[in-house]
Amino acid sequence: MHSGVEFQVQEGEILGLFGTSGTGKSLILRSIIGLETPDAGEIIFEGKNILGLNERELIPVRKKIGYVFQNGALFDSLTVEENLSYPLQEHTSLSPPEILDKVNDLLEKLDLKGLNDLLPNALSGGMQKRVGLARVLILGPKIILFDEPTAGLDPSNTKRLINIIKNLKKTGMTGIFVTHDIPSAYAITDRIAILHEGKIRALDTTEKIQNSQDTFVQKFTKNSA
Amino acid sequence: MKKNFFYQLSKNDAHPITAIFHFTGGFSVLCCQALREMTQPPFYWKLIIREIYFIGIQSIFLVCITALATGCVMALQFGYGLEKFGGTLYVPKIVSLVILREMGPVFTSLLIAGRIGSGIASEVGSMQITQQIDAMRALGTSPIKKIVIPKLIASMVSFPLLTLIADYVSLVGAMVICNNELGINHEYFIAKTIETLRIYDLTTSMAKTVVFAFFISLTACWKGLNTEGGTQAIGNSTTWVVVTSSIFIMISDFFLTKLFILTVYPPP
């Protein structure tokens, strides 16, 4: 599907990844975190090629790279609190009260206070996405991969989520933001890559992409906006 | 992605031959992964206990009802069948042997395959479709450890115990029918049952169910983990697991019985 896709993400930077449906944007994110295995190439994280690592070797990598799924992918048999506790129970030696404190802190930061005991199906789409983000944030990853986080959200929830990501950016978060939502991407990304027919067709700063005179880039950003 | 010739061949479920390759290959890989990860920490004891509750404890009522009915029916059938030849007194011997060696393990496993196989396939399948399995992996945890191994161990513990209960209840049912319908009193029934049965009848019966449990739980997990599509796909996976498990139980029962005749049961 891809051939010659190459890009770097610097620490503290958010890279936007655009492309029409079916160009494999999510596939790139899934490959980065090891959910898919490309036939060839390299994925360098902290100076080490992580392509080809087995599931056990990928665990330390996955603790440092968070993946925010398009639909939240919350565990539907667990409550909000249990969903958020899950990574801490698996990867830390924190006591249950310490875990609860961390969970409550994060829920408060993401405007989800008091939802501890609800199951995911009792939450709205926007809430589910924020819980999904909270579950990723709770381990304090170095990089966050956002897979269409604003898809299916109403303008108010989109704005709320974008503000949360903006605040995270201020704390020095590194991320890759896959989206069709160009205005949201303009608001938070530092650079943008446009994927077309399996290749990166354009890669530049957000400002330069916005003001690009390239007809393909103009056509793409205007059609998608 | 990894899409070489063998991958394409194995993914083509449309043809029965390639579907068999797909299943045997996938099942073997999952089996190896499960056995390898079973020995590595962390160990999720709480999940295993929870699964034993769902698979074992919650099946007891169902198993008891069907075992009771089976025992009663067998006693009736053998009783009226043997009466023509004056062989009513052989009913306790025959019924107890048939129950312990065949009906107990096979009926119980078929029942549990329907209940548990379909439950596992639909649970894991819906988790796969809604990306919960991916989320589990992305959060640095192993779905094999969190889902497959607890269900596998719980099944292998629960099936023999359920069979033991089913054997007991069936014998009680047969005993009651013998007493009420065939004029064979309890003391005679118990004496003949104890005289007939040997410990290997019980152990081989339980060994069979361990094999069935291993196959049913792993097959259901494999199918669930390979479910693709929507809600219809979950339904298809569920049906497939129940049918495949039932066929496996019937066929493997023959080979296991033959194996036990050759190795465990004394010559006639």
Side-chain angles (χ1 to χ4, degrees), chain B residues 175-246:
Chain B
M175 187 175 72
V176 169
I177 293 299
C178 281
N179 187 52
N180 295 348
E181 300 282 331
L182 308 176
I184 299 170
N185 64 36
H186 296 161
E187 289 78 16
Y188 182 81
F189 185 95
I190 292 168
K192 283 294 163 189
T193 301
I194 291 171
E195 185 190 303
T196 309
L197 296 178
R198 294 287 175 268
I199 194 68
Y200 55 74
D201 292 320
L202 192 66
T203 51
T204 54
S205 153
M206 290 169 81
K208 276 182 186 179
T209 59
V210 172
V211 175
F212 299 155
F214 183 84
F215 182 86
I216 293 167
S217 55
L218 268 190
T219 302
C221 287
W222 175 81
K223 194 62 183 172
L225 290 169
N226 285 278
T227 301
E228 288 174 351
T231 46
Q232 195 185 358
I234 297 173
N236 292 342
S237 293
T238 304
T239 309
W240 185 92
V241 167
V242 175
V243 172
T244 308
S245 300
S246 305

Side-chain angles (χ1 to χ4, degrees), chain A residues 30 34 36-39 55-56 59 62 69 71 73-76 86 90-91 135, chain B residues 1-3 40-41 44 127 130-132 134-141 145-146:
Chain A
R30 290 174 63 82
E36 304 283 351
T37 312
D39 291 331
E55 289 286 310
R56 205 168 176 80
I59 291 174
R62 286 170 174 165
F69 286 85
N71 61 359
L74 299 174
F75 302 126
D76 54 13
Y86 181 91
E90 293 296 328
H91 299 302
R135 189 177 61 182
Chain B
M1 300 305 101
K2 301 274 186 198
K3 284 185 180 170
Q40 298 167 343
Y44 297 102
M127 286 183 80
T130 55
Q131 292 190 301
Q132 291 176 58
D134 284 341
M136 210 172 257
R137 291 173 64 202
L139 289 166
T141 50
K145 271 192 172 299
K146 299 281 288 189

Side-chain angles (χ1 to χ4, degrees), chain A:
Chain A
M1 177 170 257
H2 297 127
S3 160
V5 170
E6 186 179 342
F7 60 85
Q8 291 183 357
V9 184
Q10 304 301 326
E11 207 168 332
E13 177 190 50
I14 297 187
L15 175 79
L17 200 53
F18 292 177
T20 49
S21 296
T23 48
K25 304 181 294 295
S26 300
L27 195 60
I28 290 177
L29 295 191
R30 290 174 63 82
S31 301
I32 291 172
I33 202 162
L35 296 177
E36 304 283 351
T37 312
D39 291 331
E42 286 183 327
I43 298 168
I44 309 293
F45 175 65
E46 293 182 331
K48 189 181 165 191
N49 184 15
I50 56 172
L51 190 65
L53 295 183
N54 64 32
E55 289 286 310
R56 205 168 176 80
E57 291 165 338
L58 276 170
I59 291 174
V61 175
R62 286 170 174 165
K63 283 199 260 183
K64 293 177 184 171
I65 303 178
Y67 190 112
V68 180
F69 286 85
Q70 189 174 346
N71 61 359
L74 299 174
F75 302 126
D76 54 13
S77 58
L78 304 182
T79 62
V80 168
E81 185 182 304
E82 288 165 342
N83 263 284
L84 265 65
S85 307
Y86 181 91
L88 295 175
Q89 285 169 348
E90 293 296 328
H91 299 302
T92 68
S93 51
L94 294 175
S95 65
E98 287 170 326
I99 289 176
L100 187 60
D101 282 348
K102 286 198 85 165
V103 168
N104 285 333
D105 278 354
L106 204 51
L107 287 176
E108 199 170 342
K109 276 182 194 162
L110 298 189
D111 291 338
L112 296 163
K113 195 178 174 186
L115 301 181
N116 298 46
D117 298 327
L118 292 185
L119 286 169
N121 63 10
L123 303 174
S124 68
M127 284 174 176
Q128 286 189 14
K129 296 210 178 194
R130 276 181 282 145
V131 175
L133 176 59
R135 189 177 61 182
V136 164
L137 289 174
I138 206 151
L139 273 183
K142 287 191 167 179
I143 301 178
I144 301 180
L145 311 175
F146 295 93
D147 190 0
E148 310 235 18
T150 58
L153 292 186
D154 59 65
S156 139
N157 269 314
T158 300
K159 197 176 168 188
R160 184 183 269 183
L161 192 66
I162 293 302
N163 284 335
I164 291 169
I165 299 172
K166 270 184 184 173
N167 289 334
L168 289 171
K169 194 183 168 190
K170 283 178 196 162
T171 64
M173 180 196 82
T174 307
I176 302 177
F177 191 83
V178 162
T179 188
H180 283 112
D181 181 3
I182 305 256
S184 297
Y186 283 160
I188 55 169
T189 57
D190 299 295
R191 286 192 303 147
I192 287 173
I194 301 176
L195 202 61
H196 183 65
E197 292 177 348
K199 288 184 166 55
I200 293 207
R201 180 70 173 72
L203 173 60
D204 218 325
T205 62
T206 304
E207 200 182 343
K208 284 184 179 169
I209 290 284
Q210 269 183 289
N211 302 319
S212 174
Q213 297 305 309
D214 184 301
T215 47
F216 170 79
V217 175
Q218 275 191 340
K219 194 178 159 189
F220 182 84
T221 51
K222 277 175 191 162
N223 284 346
S224 305

Side-chain angles (χ1 to χ4, degrees), chain B:
Chain B
M1 300 305 101
K2 301 274 186 198
K3 284 185 180 170
N4 56 28
F5 171 74
F6 292 105
Y7 177 86
Q8 295 290 3
L9 182 76
S10 72
K11 289 298 278 185
N12 183 7
D13 279 359
H15 196 283
I17 300 295
T18 54
I20 290 171
F21 276 120
H22 187 205
F23 170 62
T24 48
F27 182 86
S28 309
V29 169
L30 184 63
C31 186
C32 294
Q33 283 177 331
L35 293 176
R36 191 180 57 235
E37 292 200 25
M38 213 180 267
T39 58
Q40 298 167 343
F43 304 107
Y44 297 102
W45 300 112
K46 277 185 185 170
L47 288 179
I48 294 172
I49 291 166
R50 203 189 71 167
E51 291 297 338
I52 288 175
Y53 174 77
F54 285 127
I55 295 172
I57 310 286
Q58 291 198 335
S59 300
I60 289 177
F61 182 71
L62 176 73
V63 165
C64 285
I65 293 291
T66 47
L68 188 69
T70 309
C72 292
V73 167
M74 295 221 343
L76 270 181
Q77 289 283 15
F78 279 115
Y80 286 105
L82 292 174
E83 199 175 16
K84 293 178 207 165
F85 313 103
T88 311
L89 291 176
Y90 289 105
V91 171
K93 270 177 169 268
I94 296 171
V95 167
S96 57
L97 262 184
V98 172
I99 285 174
L100 243 79
R101 286 191 182 181
E102 289 303 325
M103 301 315 274
V106 173
F107 261 45
T108 308
S109 298
L110 282 173
L111 269 175
I112 309 301
R115 185 178 173 269
I116 301 306
S118 58
I120 293 175
S122 59
E123 181 192 338
V124 180
S126 62
M127 286 183 80
Q128 172 67 22
I129 283 171
T130 55
Q131 292 190 301
Q132 291 176 58
I133 301 288
D134 284 341
M136 210 172 257
R137 291 173 64 202
L139 289 166
T141 50
S142 161
I144 307 282
K145 271 192 172 299
K146 299 281 288 189
I147 298 173
V148 178
I149 292 172
K151 291 185 193 305
L152 176 65
I153 293 176
S155 299
M156 290 173 74
V157 170
S158 301
F159 272 50
L161 295 176
L162 286 170
T163 304
L164 198 63
I165 295 169
D167 289 345
Y168 184 78
V169 173
S170 271
L171 287 174
V172 169
M175 187 175 72
V176 169
I177 293 299
C178 281
N179 187 52
N180 295 348
E181 300 282 331
L182 308 176
I184 299 170
N185 64 36
H186 296 161
E187 289 78 16
Y188 182 81
F189 185 95
I190 292 168
K192 283 294 163 189
T193 301
I194 291 171
E195 185 190 303
T196 309
L197 296 178
R198 294 287 175 268
I199 194 68
Y200 55 74
D201 292 320
L202 192 66
T203 51
T204 54
S205 153
M206 290 169 81
K208 276 182 186 179
T209 59
V210 172
V211 175
F212 299 155
F214 183 84
F215 182 86
I216 293 167
S217 55
L218 268 190
T219 302
C221 287
W222 175 81
K223 194 62 183 172
L225 290 169
N226 285 278
T227 301
E228 288 174 351
T231 46
Q232 195 185 358
I234 297 173
N236 292 342
S237 293
T238 304
T239 309
W240 185 92
V241 167
V242 175
V243 172
T244 308
S245 300
S246 305
I247 293 171
F248 175 84
I249 289 169
M250 303 311 284
I251 294 174
S252 64
D253 181 49
F254 168 78
F255 289 104
L256 288 169
T257 304
K258 183 71 187 168
L259 178 73
F260 293 140
I261 287 171
L262 291 173
T263 56
V264 182
Y265 300 150

